[in-house]
Amino acid sequence: MASDRIFGLVTLFVALAYIASATQIQTSFLSDPVGPKAFPIMIGAVAAICALVMILKPDPDPDWPVMRTWGALAIAVIVLICYAYALKPLGFVIPTAFAAGILSYQISPRPKPALASGIGLSVGLFILFKFVLGLGLVAFPKGWF
């Protein structure tokens, strides 16, 4: 019960800091009517509401994950941090394939489906982001193709 309230309080502070930092986003004169601040502020507001629910109505008997789950979460965080650092030098497709494959393997430890999902997600997301949404992504490192 106390752990839910402590976690809710920490989440509330993080959400409020996130909202405060979202209000500092600079807008250009060619932005849409909603602006770039709206989405981060909505995410922060939802996180703050969830935090308040955890503070005001905590679980009376929370179940903490076993150590194996903590290890899997640590691996996922490390993979995502490495992914963020690898995007710029390696392009989009290669780091996304590795990250999606490793995370897929954590969900279901079968190598072939994890490899297929990693490759499929990286290529599919690249096509979606580059050609459908028009983002300026680089597929591979410069000089590969």
Side-chain angles (χ1 to χ4, degrees), residues 1-5 53-64:
M1 187 155 163
S3 62
D4 279 359
R5 287 196 168 128
V53 169
M54 288 175 39
I55 292 169
L56 298 174
K57 191 176 178 195
D59 187 3
D61 188 27
D63 292 329
W64 283 90

Side-chain angles (χ1 to χ4, degrees), residues 84-124:
Y85 281 107
L87 273 175
K88 190 168 185 175
L90 297 178
F92 182 81
V93 175
I94 296 170
T96 304
F98 275 107
I102 292 169
L103 296 177
S104 175
Y105 185 81
Q106 278 194 313
I107 294 169
S108 176
R110 297 179 303 169
K112 288 181 183 176
L115 179 66
S117 67
I119 293 170
L121 272 171
S122 67
V123 171

Side-chain angles (χ1 to χ4, degrees), residues 38-55:
F39 185 71
I41 290 174
M42 288 189 307
I43 296 294
V46 169
I49 291 168
C50 292
L52 287 173
V53 169
M54 288 175 39
I55 292 169

Side-chain angles (χ1 to χ4, degrees), residues 17 38 49 59 61 65-66 68-69 71 75 81 104 112 124 130 138:
I49 291 168
D59 187 3
D61 188 27
V66 295
R68 182 176 178 182
T69 305
I75 290 170
I81 290 171
S104 175
K112 288 181 183 176
K130 178 79 173 180
V138 176

Side-chain angles (χ1 to χ4, degrees), residues 5-42:
R5 287 196 168 128
I6 292 169
F7 184 72
L9 193 61
V10 170
T11 305
L12 181 63
F13 285 132
V14 169
L16 293 175
Y18 188 75
I19 292 170
S21 67
T23 60
Q24 302 300 316
I25 295 174
Q26 298 293 323
T27 58
S28 68
F29 66 93
L30 295 175
S31 67
D32 58 71
V34 177
K37 298 178 184 182
F39 185 71
I41 290 174
M42 288 189 307

